[in-house]
């Protein structure tokens, strides 16, 4: 899974629906499919018990951001790098890594039309 010379995403950003996100994950991050399914089941259960769609809306938003990032292998690699640094670095490195992670997530939220975290 690579981008072309112009750095184009692997696939177009899918609509923010469960079916479209599932299909995108199958294509670009198949290892994440079990987590997607488990979290979908949990969100559906929470929505049923609370008679509220908010858990499903949060689920779709979270996975739309995930797909947006994974569509860009360079961005996904940067995110993994900063997550590793936050986990294994000293306090200053962890703060810097958290800032970089925040920038990546904010950009992804904006790209899929969601407010910043």
């Amino acid at each position: 899974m690579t981008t072309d010379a112009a750095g184009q995403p692997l696939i177009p950003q899918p609509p923010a629906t469960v079916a479209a996100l599932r299909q995108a994950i199958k294509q670009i991050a198949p290892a994440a499919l079990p987590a997607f399914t488990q979290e979908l089941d949990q969100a559906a259960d929470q929505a049923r018990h609370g008679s509220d769609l908010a858990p499903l809306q949060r689920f779709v938003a979270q996975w739309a951001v995930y797909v947006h990032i994974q569509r860009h292998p360079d961005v996904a690699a940067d995110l993994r790098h900063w997550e590793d640094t936050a986990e294994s670095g000293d306090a200053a490195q962890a703060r810097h890594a958290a800032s970089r992670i925040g920038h990546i997530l904010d950009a992804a939220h904006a790209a899929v039309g969601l407010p910043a975290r």
Side-chain angles (χ1 to χ4, degrees):
M1 284 190 263
T2 59
T3 56
D4 68 15
Q8 296 297 310
L10 298 173
I11 62 171
Q13 180 70 29
T17 66
V18 171
L21 293 170
R22 180 184 287 120
Q23 185 60 36
I25 291 165
K26 283 180 184 178
Q27 289 180 276
I28 61 173
L33 200 53
F36 177 89
T37 302
Q38 179 183 6
E39 291 178 24
L40 174 58
D41 291 345
Q42 290 171 346
D45 286 345
Q46 289 171 354
R48 269 193 302 275
H49 292 336
S51 298
D52 181 12
L53 292 178
L56 287 170
Q57 292 167 333
R58 283 190 300 271
F59 169 84
V60 168
Q62 171 191 330
W63 283 94
V65 167
Y66 176 83
V67 166
H68 174 76
I69 291 169
Q70 297 304 311
R71 292 170 51 239
H72 302 274
D74 54 334
V75 175
D78 283 347
L79 180 60
R80 282 189 301 276
H81 165 76
W82 292 118
E83 289 171 336
D84 291 345
T85 301
E87 191 173 302
S88 63
D90 63 27
Q93 291 169 324
R95 279 191 302 277
H96 180 70
S99 174
R100 299 303 309 152
I101 290 167
H103 289 301
I104 292 169
L105 293 176
D106 287 348
H109 275 83
V112 298
L114 296 171
R117 310 164 284 114

